Amino acid sequence: MDSREASLSTILCSLLLFCLGCKCIASELHATQTAVLKVDASPQLARQIPDTLFGIFFEEINHAGAGGIWAELVSNRGFEAGGPHTPSNIDPWSIIGDDSSVFVATDRTSCFSRNTVALRMEVLCDNCPAGGVGIYNPGFWGMNIEDGKTYNLVMYVKSPEYVELAVSLTSSDGSQNLASVTIPVSGASNWTKLEQKLVAQGTNRTSRLQITTNKKGVVWFDQVSLMPTDTYKGHGFRTELISMMLDLKPRFLRFPGGCFVEGEWLRNAFRWRESIGPWEERPGHFGDVWHYWTDDGLGYYEFLQLSEDLGAAPIWVFNNGISHNDEVDTAAIAPFVKDVLDSLEFARGSAESTWGSVRAAMGHPEPFPVKYVAIGNEDCGKKFYRGNYLKFYNAIREAYPDIQMISNCDASSTPLDHPADLYDFHVYTDSKTLFSMKNTFDKSSRNGPKAFVSEYAVWRSDAGRGSLLASLAEAAFLTGLEKNSDIVQMASYAPLFVNNNDQTWNPDAIVFNSWQQYGTPSYWMQTLFGDSSGAMIHPITITSSYSSSLAASAITWQDSENSFLRVKIVNFGSDPVSLTISLTGLQAPVNAVGSTATVLTSSNVMDENSFSNPNKVVPVKSQLPNAAEQTQVTLAPHSFSSFDLALAQSKLVAEM
Ligand code: AHR
């Protein structure tokens, strides 16, 4: 290189560095924007938000139920998952021993008529290896066995000759023993139900259940169940996951799907009738949309029980004779209508009624208050939807005039061509689109059925595996639903849960494995809307040259002691905002004591939570000592803030 070339390249390099430097400075130094948010809290302008506005949509997807909130630890407990033809795949069961010592195959000798497959185990060895031979089940990607906890084992066994079975909870390779019992089985030609408690002496998150013996001979097994004894209210639900649901303060529970209700094919759709009664007798089914087997331990009854335990109104989404690939002609839909009427009698009928008595026998003599049903899921465009819908609608209206019926057809911009109390609205989109959709219902008709936004989420690249960005757009969308809650009656995020070992759908609000769980930013965002159901909403105006990046709402709500004026505001932009909150029309002065700010933000808008860093993006609460009728706050870039201004009409003041 000569000296001319060298100086030219020096100049170019300097220019490049200068430009890069400018770019860095420009991207780091964001101008502070200003905004004024006025809230008119006059009672005459306030409107009550429906009690039902925010709830939960629970779908059996991503192993949310089986291997999820349903605490059963054995996967494929009845050996039915491989199908009715024998021999069948017994996965995830496997064998302890080898071909020379043990031979295991399914046959159809079960004592249960609706799930006839059982496991026949033939022990071939005279001098079996120490520890014996047998079978093990690794659960759903490992069983979480915890020191000191008690586990209930139930299994059905048949052995023509006396045999002693060693039942153990061990590490995944069998080397660590956490609990062990020997169960004697007297020789008989009948099936015997065996029950045993196992107390763990040690913790292992990926344990397995082993059943072994040293005795040559034949033993059959069926319906092998292992449940922890500390399930929520003893109802079989995983306590820590229920606790995360409760923190959302859900007012309704939509269940059990989603596409799970439809099936790829009708023969694989969810059938309520097959999912009730004693758990041992349930046939289970392969959910062909999300591609896994469920034993249906979490069945129709358990969903109703879950609604009750959450204090949430049950919303039963039933199959309307339509799957993704096949449909029942309206001319032949009558038995399906009868089937749904039976499901409603099961939930609501007296304990003396045909189906109500089945519910009572399961332990719930009082009816479950089903007030909402959805006639299918995402089927509006299907050939027989309207015809089938009307058959269900008319029959249910006649038998249960108070039940609110939800159509799959969107009436947000054009009226429905059929009667409905509510219409279903689903949206999965990018963050900018969802942010702008905060105005979607502004122009919707105020006269027709109400909207049920039963599935919403930001997805794909904007969402990652649950980003802050997604949660900000969703929060903005929800402020729009609050404002339009004269016609939007209910809303729920989707999907709610994912077992990290089977993420069929991404993103999801709550991520878990056998022993851990965390909320994505979208989960935490929803916790800041939990108090809105039933609260009073007030008109607001935002004045700012930056208003296109802001979305807000204002409500008055009460906890057990105090009233609060809550302003929620999303700053979707990358600039900080100096915000003045100005309140008029208040019935009580603002009290700085007890006023708080809760902020969901992070240094990078694509930040996510994870098992290793579950609290990276979570709401942070602080005092708001300057709270008054005019309050000055700063909104961080890319943030969602909830300001609770305590109103001095608190219990303390009222008592003075
Ligand atoms: O929430 C996941 C799926 O999205 C639901 O099953 C379905 O209703 C929608 O397509």
Side-chain angles (χ1 to χ4, degrees):
M1 191 189 288
D2 65 18
S3 63
R4 257 186 59 217
E5 280 172 336
S7 57
L8 191 61
S9 95
T10 311
I11 291 167
L12 281 175
C13 282
S14 311
L15 264 175
L16 186 67
L17 284 173
F18 179 72
C19 291
L20 280 175
C22 287
K23 201 163 173 243
C24 285
I25 291 165
S27 64
E28 273 165 21
L29 287 183
H30 289 288
T32 298
Q33 307 285 339
T34 56
V36 176
L37 186 148
K38 289 189 179 153
V39 181
D40 187 340
S42 319
Q44 60 274 23
L45 294 180
R47 177 178 46 76
Q48 188 170 15
I49 293 175
D51 275 342
T52 50
L53 188 59
F54 292 117
I56 281 178
F57 166 41
F58 181 94
E59 174 160 23
E60 181 59 272
I61 182 174
N62 303 318
H63 277 88
I69 66 160
W70 190 243
E72 173 63 70
L73 291 167
V74 178
S75 173
N76 188 19
R77 66 185 175 195
F79 306 99
E80 312 292 328
H85 304 290
T86 58
S88 55
N89 188 349
I90 60 170
D91 183 70
W93 289 91
S94 197
I95 287 160
I96 299 168
D98 58 24
D99 288 354
S100 67
S101 56
V102 64
F103 180 80
V104 163
T106 52
D107 63 18
R108 274 185 266 177
T109 59
S110 171
C111 53
F112 301 110
S113 59
R114 291 199 293 170
N115 49 23
T116 54
V117 177
L119 189 76
R120 179 183 182 276
M121 178 175 90
E122 185 171 358
V123 176
L124 305 169
C125 42
D126 288 306
N127 296 307
C128 294
V133 297
I135 53 174
Y136 72 85
N137 188 291
F140 298 89
W141 302 280
M143 300 177 181
N144 178 33
I145 301 298
E146 295 185 325
D147 191 26
K149 270 203 194 179
T150 304
Y151 299 85
N152 271 338
L153 173 82
V154 179
M155 61 179 177
Y156 289 76
V157 176
K158 186 172 71 168
S159 174
E161 287 176 30
Y162 176 83
V163 63
E164 288 179 354
L165 297 175
V167 178
S168 317
L169 300 175
T170 71
S171 55
S172 59
D173 60 0
S175 62
Q176 182 195 3
N177 199 312
L178 303 156
S180 209
V181 286
T182 301
I183 306 179
V185 184
S186 47
S189 56
N190 294 335
W191 285 90
T192 310
K193 181 181 185 180
L194 300 173
E195 293 186 74
Q196 182 71 49
K197 290 207 183 315
L198 291 156
V199 181
Q201 287 166 343
T203 294
N204 188 303
R205 309 301 189 183
T206 53
S207 309
R208 70 187 198 184
L209 170 72
Q210 293 190 172
I211 309 170
T212 55
T213 182
N214 282 306
K215 176 135 189 270
K216 194 170 181 177
V218 179
V219 188
W220 279 264
F221 298 97
D222 200 7
Q223 300 301 337
V224 182
S225 166
L226 185 73
M227 285 285 255
T229 53
D230 63 348
T231 63
Y232 189 70
K233 296 192 175 188
H235 289 156
F237 307 117
R238 209 170 121 179
T239 308
E240 63 280 16
L241 296 181
I242 296 294
S243 160
M244 290 193 76
M245 292 168 103
L246 284 168
D247 288 346
L248 294 175
K249 303 186 180 166
R251 295 300 180 91
F252 65 82
L253 177 74
R254 175 182 185 244
F255 67 87
C259 298
F260 179 72
V261 166
E262 303 171 83
E264 282 301 328
W265 298 95
L266 280 168
R267 63 175 170 269
N268 294 320
F270 177 77
R271 300 271 167 209
W272 73 274
R273 205 184 287 264
E274 312 282 297
S275 76
I276 59 163
W279 60 267
E280 302 95 319
E281 295 174 15
R282 300 182 192 178
H285 81 287
F286 179 70
D288 62 351
V289 176
W290 308 124
H291 306 118
Y292 60 94
W293 173 264
T294 82
D295 292 320
D296 286 332
L298 177 59
Y300 181 53
Y301 174 91
E302 287 75 18
F303 280 116
L304 294 167
Q305 184 63 67
L306 178 60
S307 309
E308 183 176 282
D309 290 349
L310 294 171
I315 301 182
W316 164 218
V317 185
F318 61 75
N319 183 292
N320 55 353
I322 298 176
S323 78
H324 287 179
N325 293 298
D326 54 351
E327 298 184 44
V328 178
D329 189 310
T330 302
I333 201 69
F336 290 78
V337 175
K338 165 85 171 58
D339 185 62
V340 167
L341 290 177
D342 288 347
S343 77
L344 294 173
E345 185 181 283
F346 176 88
R348 297 193 17 162
S350 78
E352 285 71 46
S353 62
T354 307
W355 286 102
S357 67
V358 179
R359 180 199 68 237
M362 290 181 72
H364 205 285
E366 289 305 312
F368 288 109
V370 175
K371 298 267 175 52
Y372 302 91
V373 294
I375 303 177
N377 176 66
E378 294 186 342
D379 294 327
C380 181
K382 302 277 173 63
K383 184 174 174 194
F384 292 112
Y385 185 70
R386 277 167 185 70
N388 291 3
Y389 175 93
L390 287 172
K391 295 279 187 190
F392 285 106
Y393 180 91
N394 291 331
I396 294 171
R397 180 97 313 159
E398 192 181 333
Y400 301 95
D402 64 312
I403 288 188
Q404 305 264 293
M405 281 174 277
I406 303 160
S407 164
N408 288 178
C409 301
D410 177 7
S412 59
S413 50
T414 43
L416 292 187
D417 59 3
H418 52 273
D421 301 297
L422 294 123
Y423 63 91
D424 214 349
F425 185 96
H426 296 180
V427 54
Y428 298 96
T429 187
D430 62 89
S431 61
K432 281 203 178 85
T433 306
L434 196 65
F435 181 86
S436 68
M437 282 180 71
K438 61 190 186 303
N439 302 319
T440 294
F441 294 94
D442 289 1
K443 295 200 172 70
S444 298
S445 162
R446 266 44 200 169
N447 301 319
K450 309 253 172 171
F452 178 14
V453 182
S454 70
E455 299 183 25
Y456 71 86
V458 169
W459 70 353
R460 302 198 168 140
S461 58
D462 283 356
R465 290 196 73 206
S467 65
L468 171 65
L469 177 64
S471 72
L472 298 179
E474 290 152 5
F477 180 62
L478 293 193
T479 61
L481 299 191
E482 286 183 326
K483 284 188 202 159
N484 284 292
S485 59
D486 57 325
I487 51 152
V488 179
Q489 197 168 323
M490 297 187 271
S492 44
Y493 179 91
L496 181 66
F497 282 117
V498 60
N499 184 318
N500 197 42
N501 295 290
D502 180 31
Q503 185 160 36
T504 312
W505 188 285
N506 176 54
D508 309 278
I510 300 171
V511 184
F512 63 87
N513 56 24
S514 74
W515 62 286
Q516 294 165 294
Q517 60 285 323
Y518 68 85
T520 62
S522 297
Y523 168 81
W524 291 109
M525 174 281 295
Q526 291 176 67
T527 63
L528 301 182
F529 282 86
D531 297 310
S532 293
S533 304
M536 301 301 287
I537 185 150
H538 307 290
I540 62 160
T541 54
I542 298 178
T543 311
S544 171
S545 58
Y546 202 58
S547 59
S548 62
S549 294
L550 304 174
S553 66
I555 61 166
T556 307
W557 69 283
Q558 288 164 345
D559 65 14
S560 53
E561 304 210 321
N562 296 304
S563 293
F564 299 90
L565 189 296
R566 173 176 291 176
V567 169
K568 295 192 290 299
I569 182 159
V570 177
N571 179 3
F572 200 55
S574 48
D575 292 349
V577 177
S578 172
L579 177 74
T580 306
I581 301 173
S582 172
L583 311 178
T584 57
L586 286 173
Q587 300 303 292
V590 171
N591 192 350
V593 178
S595 294
T596 57
T598 306
V599 182
L600 182 69
T601 191
S602 196
S603 53
N604 186 320
V605 75
M606 291 310 293
D607 277 351
E608 302 177 352
N609 294 328
S610 60
F611 286 126
S612 55
N613 198 352
N615 297 323
K616 186 169 187 173
V617 193
V618 295
V620 176
K621 192 170 183 172
S622 60
Q623 299 302 314
L624 201 55
N626 63 337
E629 277 69 16
Q630 291 251 349
T631 309
Q632 197 66 40
V633 293
T634 300
L635 306 179
H638 301 304
S639 63
F640 175 39
S641 307
S642 174
F643 300 103
D644 268 323
L645 305 163
L647 300 176
Q649 204 180 21
S650 67
K651 201 175 160 198
L652 280 177
V653 172
E655 278 168 1
M656 275 163 41

PDB file of all heavy atoms in Angstrom, residues 254-275:
ATOM      1  N   ARG A 254     -62.562 -21.331  30.308  1.00  0.00           N
ATOM      2  CA  ARG A 254     -62.998 -21.947  29.046  1.00  0.00           C
ATOM      3  C   ARG A 254     -62.224 -23.252  28.889  1.00  0.00           C
ATOM      4  O   ARG A 254     -60.997 -23.268  29.005  1.00  0.00           O
ATOM      5  CB  ARG A 254     -62.703 -20.979  27.888  1.00  0.00           C
ATOM      6  CG  ARG A 254     -62.995 -21.529  26.499  1.00  0.00           C
ATOM      7  CD  ARG A 254     -62.623 -20.483  25.439  1.00  0.00           C
ATOM      8  NE  ARG A 254     -62.991 -20.906  24.105  1.00  0.00           N
ATOM      9  CZ  ARG A 254     -62.141 -21.145  23.112  1.00  0.00           C
ATOM     10  NH1 ARG A 254     -60.836 -20.986  23.289  1.00  0.00           N
ATOM     11  NH2 ARG A 254     -62.569 -21.520  21.932  1.00  0.00           N
ATOM     12  N   PHE A 255     -62.908 -24.351  28.601  1.00  0.00           N
ATOM     13  CA  PHE A 255     -62.243 -25.643  28.507  1.00  0.00           C
ATOM     14  C   PHE A 255     -63.029 -26.555  27.566  1.00  0.00           C
ATOM     15  O   PHE A 255     -64.213 -26.295  27.320  1.00  0.00           O
ATOM     16  CB  PHE A 255     -62.162 -26.306  29.901  1.00  0.00           C
ATOM     17  CG  PHE A 255     -63.514 -26.695  30.441  1.00  0.00           C
ATOM     18  CD1 PHE A 255     -64.104 -27.936  30.134  1.00  0.00           C
ATOM     19  CD2 PHE A 255     -64.236 -25.826  31.245  1.00  0.00           C
ATOM     20  CE1 PHE A 255     -65.361 -28.288  30.629  1.00  0.00           C
ATOM     21  CE2 PHE A 255     -65.500 -26.174  31.744  1.00  0.00           C
ATOM     22  CZ  PHE A 255     -66.057 -27.398  31.433  1.00  0.00           C
ATOM     23  N   PRO A 256     -62.474 -27.655  27.075  1.00  0.00           N
ATOM     24  CA  PRO A 256     -61.086 -28.129  27.190  1.00  0.00           C
ATOM     25  C   PRO A 256     -60.260 -27.793  25.943  1.00  0.00           C
ATOM     26  O   PRO A 256     -59.157 -28.262  25.798  1.00  0.00           O
ATOM     27  CB  PRO A 256     -61.275 -29.652  27.287  1.00  0.00           C
ATOM     28  CG  PRO A 256     -62.462 -29.931  26.404  1.00  0.00           C
ATOM     29  CD  PRO A 256     -63.363 -28.715  26.513  1.00  0.00           C
ATOM     30  N   GLY A 257     -60.754 -27.007  25.040  1.00  0.00           N
ATOM     31  CA  GLY A 257     -60.036 -26.517  23.844  1.00  0.00           C
ATOM     32  C   GLY A 257     -60.950 -25.539  23.179  1.00  0.00           C
ATOM     33  O   GLY A 257     -62.067 -25.325  23.679  1.00  0.00           O
ATOM     34  N   GLY A 258     -60.551 -24.971  22.101  1.00  0.00           N
ATOM     35  CA  GLY A 258     -59.472 -25.230  21.210  1.00  0.00           C
ATOM     36  C   GLY A 258     -59.712 -26.416  20.248  1.00  0.00           C
ATOM     37  O   GLY A 258     -60.728 -27.095  20.231  1.00  0.00           O
ATOM     38  N   CYS A 259     -58.695 -26.544  19.444  1.00  0.00           N
ATOM     39  CA  CYS A 259     -58.702 -27.624  18.449  1.00  0.00           C
ATOM     40  C   CYS A 259     -58.836 -28.991  19.103  1.00  0.00           C
ATOM     41  O   CYS A 259     -59.281 -29.945  18.465  1.00  0.00           O
ATOM     42  CB  CYS A 259     -57.423 -27.567  17.624  1.00  0.00           C
ATOM     43  SG  CYS A 259     -57.253 -26.048  16.688  1.00  0.00           S
ATOM     44  N   PHE A 260     -58.424 -29.103  20.362  1.00  0.00           N
ATOM     45  CA  PHE A 260     -58.545 -30.368  21.086  1.00  0.00           C
ATOM     46  C   PHE A 260     -59.992 -30.849  21.081  1.00  0.00           C
ATOM     47  O   PHE A 260     -60.255 -32.057  21.040  1.00  0.00           O
ATOM     48  CB  PHE A 260     -58.058 -30.149  22.524  1.00  0.00           C
ATOM     49  CG  PHE A 260     -58.146 -31.353  23.417  1.00  0.00           C
ATOM     50  CD1 PHE A 260     -57.284 -32.424  23.261  1.00  0.00           C
ATOM     51  CD2 PHE A 260     -59.085 -31.406  24.440  1.00  0.00           C
ATOM     52  CE1 PHE A 260     -57.365 -33.532  24.100  1.00  0.00           C
ATOM     53  CE2 PHE A 260     -59.171 -32.505  25.283  1.00  0.00           C
ATOM     54  CZ  PHE A 260     -58.304 -33.574  25.115  1.00  0.00           C
ATOM     55  N   VAL A 261     -60.929 -29.896  21.115  1.00  0.00           N
ATOM     56  CA  VAL A 261     -62.351 -30.239  21.117  1.00  0.00           C
ATOM     57  C   VAL A 261     -62.771 -30.796  19.754  1.00  0.00           C
ATOM     58  O   VAL A 261     -63.625 -31.681  19.671  1.00  0.00           O
ATOM     59  CB  VAL A 261     -63.183 -28.976  21.440  1.00  0.00           C
ATOM     60  CG1 VAL A 261     -64.650 -29.175  21.118  1.00  0.00           C
ATOM     61  CG2 VAL A 261     -63.004 -28.579  22.886  1.00  0.00           C
ATOM     62  N   GLU A 262     -62.153 -30.254  18.717  1.00  0.00           N
ATOM     63  CA  GLU A 262     -62.570 -30.642  17.361  1.00  0.00           C
ATOM     64  C   GLU A 262     -61.971 -31.978  16.932  1.00  0.00           C
ATOM     65  O   GLU A 262     -62.658 -32.849  16.400  1.00  0.00           O
ATOM     66  CB  GLU A 262     -62.117 -29.589  16.355  1.00  0.00           C
ATOM     67  CG  GLU A 262     -62.617 -28.181  16.647  1.00  0.00           C
ATOM     68  CD  GLU A 262     -61.936 -27.196  15.735  1.00  0.00           C
ATOM     69  OE1 GLU A 262     -62.406 -27.041  14.595  1.00  0.00           O
ATOM     70  OE2 GLU A 262     -60.920 -26.603  16.139  1.00  0.00           O
ATOM     71  N   GLY A 263     -60.647 -32.126  17.156  1.00  0.00           N
ATOM     72  CA  GLY A 263     -59.919 -33.267  16.615  1.00  0.00           C
ATOM     73  C   GLY A 263     -59.599 -33.040  15.149  1.00  0.00           C
ATOM     74  O   GLY A 263     -60.278 -32.273  14.451  1.00  0.00           O
ATOM     75  N   GLU A 264     -58.538 -33.695  14.678  1.00  0.00           N
ATOM     76  CA  GLU A 264     -58.294 -33.712  13.228  1.00  0.00           C
ATOM     77  C   GLU A 264     -59.429 -34.495  12.586  1.00  0.00           C
ATOM     78  O   GLU A 264     -59.899 -34.164  11.506  1.00  0.00           O
ATOM     79  CB  GLU A 264     -56.950 -34.379  12.910  1.00  0.00           C
ATOM     80  CG  GLU A 264     -55.719 -33.513  13.138  1.00  0.00           C
ATOM     81  CD  GLU A 264     -55.733 -32.242  12.314  1.00  0.00           C
ATOM     82  OE1 GLU A 264     -56.284 -32.233  11.194  1.00  0.00           O
ATOM     83  OE2 GLU A 264     -55.199 -31.228  12.801  1.00  0.00           O
ATOM     84  N   TRP A 265     -59.822 -35.573  13.282  1.00  0.00           N
ATOM     85  CA  TRP A 265     -60.934 -36.412  12.853  1.00  0.00           C
ATOM     86  C   TRP A 265     -61.884 -36.551  14.022  1.00  0.00           C
ATOM     87  O   TRP A 265     -61.455 -36.620  15.179  1.00  0.00           O
ATOM     88  CB  TRP A 265     -60.428 -37.795  12.395  1.00  0.00           C
ATOM     89  CG  TRP A 265     -59.503 -37.683  11.216  1.00  0.00           C
ATOM     90  CD1 TRP A 265     -58.153 -37.637  11.234  1.00  0.00           C
ATOM     91  CD2 TRP A 265     -59.899 -37.536   9.840  1.00  0.00           C
ATOM     92  NE1 TRP A 265     -57.656 -37.487   9.957  1.00  0.00           N
ATOM     93  CE2 TRP A 265     -58.710 -37.430   9.074  1.00  0.00           C
ATOM     94  CE3 TRP A 265     -61.125 -37.505   9.175  1.00  0.00           C
ATOM     95  CZ2 TRP A 265     -58.716 -37.277   7.688  1.00  0.00           C
ATOM     96  CZ3 TRP A 265     -61.127 -37.365   7.795  1.00  0.00           C
ATOM     97  CH2 TRP A 265     -59.948 -37.250   7.061  1.00  0.00           C
ATOM     98  N   LEU A 266     -63.174 -36.635  13.701  1.00  0.00           N
ATOM     99  CA  LEU A 266     -64.177 -36.711  14.769  1.00  0.00           C
ATOM    100  C   LEU A 266     -63.928 -37.881  15.722  1.00  0.00           C
ATOM    101  O   LEU A 266     -64.200 -37.789  16.914  1.00  0.00           O
ATOM    102  CB  LEU A 266     -65.576 -36.832  14.166  1.00  0.00           C
ATOM    103  CG  LEU A 266     -66.179 -35.505  13.683  1.00  0.00           C
ATOM    104  CD1 LEU A 266     -67.420 -35.762  12.846  1.00  0.00           C
ATOM    105  CD2 LEU A 266     -66.500 -34.600  14.868  1.00  0.00           C
ATOM    106  N   ARG A 267     -63.400 -38.971  15.192  1.00  0.00           N
ATOM    107  CA  ARG A 267     -63.209 -40.141  16.060  1.00  0.00           C
ATOM    108  C   ARG A 267     -62.176 -39.879  17.156  1.00  0.00           C
ATOM    109  O   ARG A 267     -62.095 -40.627  18.129  1.00  0.00           O
ATOM    110  CB  ARG A 267     -62.817 -41.370  15.228  1.00  0.00           C
ATOM    111  CG  ARG A 267     -61.508 -41.244  14.489  1.00  0.00           C
ATOM    112  CD  ARG A 267     -61.142 -42.557  13.784  1.00  0.00           C
ATOM    113  NE  ARG A 267     -60.011 -42.374  12.881  1.00  0.00           N
ATOM    114  CZ  ARG A 267     -60.126 -42.047  11.599  1.00  0.00           C
ATOM    115  NH1 ARG A 267     -61.313 -41.870  11.069  1.00  0.00           N
ATOM    116  NH2 ARG A 267     -59.056 -41.896  10.848  1.00  0.00           N
ATOM    117  N   ASN A 268     -61.383 -38.826  16.996  1.00  0.00           N
ATOM    118  CA  ASN A 268     -60.376 -38.511  18.015  1.00  0.00           C
ATOM    119  C   ASN A 268     -60.701 -37.253  18.819  1.00  0.00           C
ATOM    120  O   ASN A 268     -59.853 -36.755  19.561  1.00  0.00           O
ATOM    121  CB  ASN A 268     -59.004 -38.359  17.364  1.00  0.00           C
ATOM    122  CG  ASN A 268     -58.517 -39.671  16.785  1.00  0.00           C
ATOM    123  OD1 ASN A 268     -58.700 -40.721  17.397  1.00  0.00           O
ATOM    124  ND2 ASN A 268     -57.934 -39.626  15.601  1.00  0.00           N
ATOM    125  N   ALA A 269     -61.914 -36.748  18.652  1.00  0.00           N
ATOM    126  CA  ALA A 269     -62.294 -35.534  19.395  1.00  0.00           C
ATOM    127  C   ALA A 269     -62.536 -35.870  20.871  1.00  0.00           C
ATOM    128  O   ALA A 269     -62.741 -37.032  21.224  1.00  0.00           O
ATOM    129  CB  ALA A 269     -63.555 -34.943  18.777  1.00  0.00           C
ATOM    130  N   PHE A 270     -62.532 -34.844  21.708  1.00  0.00           N
ATOM    131  CA  PHE A 270     -62.803 -35.046  23.140  1.00  0.00           C
ATOM    132  C   PHE A 270     -64.257 -35.445  23.331  1.00  0.00           C
ATOM    133  O   PHE A 270     -65.160 -34.789  22.801  1.00  0.00           O
ATOM    134  CB  PHE A 270     -62.515 -33.742  23.898  1.00  0.00           C
ATOM    135  CG  PHE A 270     -62.830 -33.810  25.373  1.00  0.00           C
ATOM    136  CD1 PHE A 270     -61.970 -34.456  26.248  1.00  0.00           C
ATOM    137  CD2 PHE A 270     -63.987 -33.234  25.887  1.00  0.00           C
ATOM    138  CE1 PHE A 270     -62.253 -34.527  27.610  1.00  0.00           C
ATOM    139  CE2 PHE A 270     -64.281 -33.297  27.247  1.00  0.00           C
ATOM    140  CZ  PHE A 270     -63.416 -33.944  28.104  1.00  0.00           C
ATOM    141  N   ARG A 271     -64.492 -36.512  24.066  1.00  0.00           N
ATOM    142  CA  ARG A 271     -65.852 -36.994  24.348  1.00  0.00           C
ATOM    143  C   ARG A 271     -66.074 -36.940  25.851  1.00  0.00           C
ATOM    144  O   ARG A 271     -65.454 -37.713  26.597  1.00  0.00           O
ATOM    145  CB  ARG A 271     -66.015 -38.439  23.882  1.00  0.00           C
ATOM    146  CG  ARG A 271     -65.778 -38.627  22.410  1.00  0.00           C
ATOM    147  CD  ARG A 271     -67.046 -38.441  21.624  1.00  0.00           C
ATOM    148  NE  ARG A 271     -66.737 -38.327  20.207  1.00  0.00           N
ATOM    149  CZ  ARG A 271     -67.457 -37.647  19.344  1.00  0.00           C
ATOM    150  NH1 ARG A 271     -68.520 -36.986  19.750  1.00  0.00           N
ATOM    151  NH2 ARG A 271     -67.129 -37.599  18.083  1.00  0.00           N
ATOM    152  N   TRP A 272     -66.970 -36.051  26.300  1.00  0.00           N
ATOM    153  CA  TRP A 272     -67.152 -35.856  27.740  1.00  0.00           C
ATOM    154  C   TRP A 272     -67.557 -37.145  28.436  1.00  0.00           C
ATOM    155  O   TRP A 272     -67.099 -37.453  29.520  1.00  0.00           O
ATOM    156  CB  TRP A 272     -68.201 -34.762  27.989  1.00  0.00           C
ATOM    157  CG  TRP A 272     -69.615 -35.186  27.698  1.00  0.00           C
ATOM    158  CD1 TRP A 272     -70.245 -35.144  26.504  1.00  0.00           C
ATOM    159  CD2 TRP A 272     -70.540 -35.760  28.637  1.00  0.00           C
ATOM    160  NE1 TRP A 272     -71.517 -35.649  26.627  1.00  0.00           N
ATOM    161  CE2 TRP A 272     -71.727 -36.030  27.925  1.00  0.00           C
ATOM    162  CE3 TRP A 272     -70.491 -36.078  29.988  1.00  0.00           C
ATOM    163  CZ2 TRP A 272     -72.853 -36.598  28.528  1.00  0.00           C
ATOM    164  CZ3 TRP A 272     -71.608 -36.640  30.600  1.00  0.00           C
ATOM    165  CH2 TRP A 272     -72.778 -36.897  29.865  1.00  0.00           C
ATOM    166  N   ARG A 273     -68.427 -37.937  27.765  1.00  0.00           N
ATOM    167  CA  ARG A 273     -69.002 -39.135  28.378  1.00  0.00           C
ATOM    168  C   ARG A 273     -67.922 -40.181  28.688  1.00  0.00           C
ATOM    169  O   ARG A 273     -68.010 -40.923  29.651  1.00  0.00           O
ATOM    170  CB  ARG A 273     -70.008 -39.723  27.392  1.00  0.00           C
ATOM    171  CG  ARG A 273     -71.096 -40.554  27.970  1.00  0.00           C
ATOM    172  CD  ARG A 273     -71.916 -41.131  26.834  1.00  0.00           C
ATOM    173  NE  ARG A 273     -72.751 -40.150  26.170  1.00  0.00           N
ATOM    174  CZ  ARG A 273     -74.035 -39.941  26.453  1.00  0.00           C
ATOM    175  NH1 ARG A 273     -74.622 -40.645  27.383  1.00  0.00           N
ATOM    176  NH2 ARG A 273     -74.734 -39.032  25.799  1.00  0.00           N
ATOM    177  N   GLU A 274     -66.893 -40.205  27.811  1.00  0.00           N
ATOM    178  CA  GLU A 274     -65.805 -41.166  28.009  1.00  0.00           C
ATOM    179  C   GLU A 274     -64.839 -40.705  29.099  1.00  0.00           C
ATOM    180  O   GLU A 274     -63.931 -41.441  29.473  1.00  0.00           O
ATOM    181  CB  GLU A 274     -64.991 -41.324  26.718  1.00  0.00           C
ATOM    182  CG  GLU A 274     -65.806 -41.550  25.469  1.00  0.00           C
ATOM    183  CD  GLU A 274     -66.283 -42.979  25.363  1.00  0.00           C
ATOM    184  OE1 GLU A 274     -65.428 -43.860  25.269  1.00  0.00           O
ATOM    185  OE2 GLU A 274     -67.510 -43.210  25.411  1.00  0.00           O
ATOM    186  N   SER A 275     -65.004 -39.473  29.543  1.00  0.00           N
ATOM    187  CA  SER A 275     -64.013 -38.894  30.459  1.00  0.00           C
ATOM    188  C   SER A 275     -64.557 -38.766  31.881  1.00  0.00           C
ATOM    189  O   SER A 275     -63.939 -38.106  32.706  1.00  0.00           O
ATOM    190  CB  SER A 275     -63.574 -37.520  29.947  1.00  0.00           C
ATOM    191  OG  SER A 275     -64.579 -36.546  30.207  1.00  0.00           O
TER     192      SER A 275
END
